[in-house]
Amino acid sequence: MRRFPPERIVCLTEETVETLYLLGQEDRIVGVSGYAVRPPRVRREKPRVSAFTSADIPKILALAPDLVLAFSDLQAEIVADLARAGIAVHLFNQRDVAGCLAMVRTLGALVGVPERAEALAAGFAARLAEAEAAARHRPPVRVYFEEWDAPMISGIGWVSDLIGYAGGRDVFPALSRQPAARDRIVTPEQVAAAAPEVILASWCGKKVNIDRIRSRPGWAAIPAVRDGRIHEIKAPLILQPGPAALTDGFDAIRACLGG
């Protein structure tokens, strides 16, 4: 890193963008992912330099960043290109709620505002704990979360954790600990056997087709289908492992579970 705290930061995913805004450090951001939409003004204020698995390397280099923030193995090639060009990069890899809170604290330390980041993370954690305590008097609701439809992919760790905080029980808890989507593929028969009482779906990059879910062969007897408890949660709210999921995404889950 050329300077500390870094004065020029590029964010290749949405959650670090939102976190920096919440920490009052948005002036450090010089480039963002094309998927960054929180807060809404980011689309007017910051140039877009990447998608998720691709980036405009020359455009990033032209911004002369002190630090580039990335996420997951899916951005490993982008990170390698930037590292070879002499750019400092921090790649986060959070896959559960604890990791999301650690990301907030780590990012705060990286930009020189650790106390502010600790307060932000502690606020998120307290809100989740309060909701969890409020849900304890109710029997847990069996929940199937669908991240993609073809193949069917069940929810990742932070989604499973949030379902638990909201008073639900992920029907595929072991799979949620698998970081790679290919390792969370499930069959229609497995979902039917799990008999979820609520189905939540968020298909990254496209609208959920609830009628198509409802009409899957053999699913008519699933309690969630029988009772009409199939809900879409918008991808930017829940598939971003940071503030959006911990706040609005979590609220959406609670609303669908009746919390």
Side-chain angles (χ1 to χ4, degrees):
M1 197 153 60
R2 300 175 187 181
R3 288 181 284 259
F4 182 82
E7 296 174 11
R8 301 179 63 80
I9 299 175
V10 168
C11 301
L12 300 182
T13 53
E14 313 97 296
E15 65 281 348
T16 50
V17 173
E18 184 173 11
T19 301
L20 286 171
Y21 270 86
L22 290 170
L23 293 174
Q25 303 300 305
E26 65 270 24
D27 288 350
R28 301 181 188 277
I29 303 172
V30 296
V32 300
S33 159
Y35 293 105
V37 295
R38 293 170 62 95
R41 62 190 175 101
V42 71
R43 297 183 71 82
R44 302 189 306 272
E45 295 177 349
K46 306 297 180 182
R48 282 164 275 184
V49 299
S50 68
F52 185 58
T53 57
S54 63
D56 188 332
I57 301 296
K59 191 171 184 179
I60 292 173
L61 297 179
L63 292 169
D66 300 314
L67 178 65
V68 174
L69 301 172
F71 169 71
S72 88
D73 55 299
L74 295 175
Q75 294 193 328
E77 292 305 315
I78 301 172
V79 166
D81 288 342
L82 291 168
R84 282 189 283 265
I87 301 298
V89 182
H90 186 98
L91 185 142
F92 290 100
N93 222 343
Q94 68 273 19
R95 305 299 175 119
D96 55 17
V97 164
C100 293
L101 297 173
M103 178 274 292
V104 172
R105 293 180 169 107
T106 301
L107 185 50
L110 284 170
V111 299
V113 290
E115 296 87 0
R116 201 173 298 177
E118 176 57 38
L120 181 62
F124 290 147
R127 191 166 178 271
L128 294 175
E130 183 180 350
E132 183 180 38
R136 281 197 189 116
H137 69 280
R138 302 191 308 268
V141 179
R142 297 188 308 276
V143 180
Y144 165 57
F145 185 94
E146 186 168 286
E147 189 178 299
W148 193 247
D149 63 324
M152 290 165 49
I153 296 172
S154 62
I156 198 166
W158 70 81
V159 175
S160 181
D161 290 348
L162 292 173
I163 287 169
Y165 282 113
R169 191 178 78 234
D170 179 8
V171 296
F172 297 114
L175 292 183
S176 75
R177 301 302 129 181
Q178 298 295 327
R182 66 178 176 273
D183 296 325
R184 289 182 276 113
I185 294 173
V186 296
T187 65
E189 292 77 18
Q190 285 175 303
V191 177
E197 297 164 280
V198 175
I199 293 174
L200 305 177
S202 183
W203 297 346
C204 186
K206 68 178 181 181
K207 183 174 174 56
V208 170
N209 188 324
I210 290 177
D211 287 337
R212 192 185 305 161
I213 294 174
R214 189 184 295 118
S215 62
R216 286 172 181 165
W219 279 33
I222 292 177
V225 176
R226 181 194 64 214
D227 299 337
R229 299 189 71 183
I230 306 172
H231 307 281
E232 177 179 16
I233 297 181
K234 300 297 184 183
L237 298 185
I238 196 62
L239 298 184
Q240 176 251 73
L246 298 174
T247 57
D248 293 346
F250 179 59
D251 288 347
I253 290 174
R254 290 185 77 193
C256 293
L257 269 55

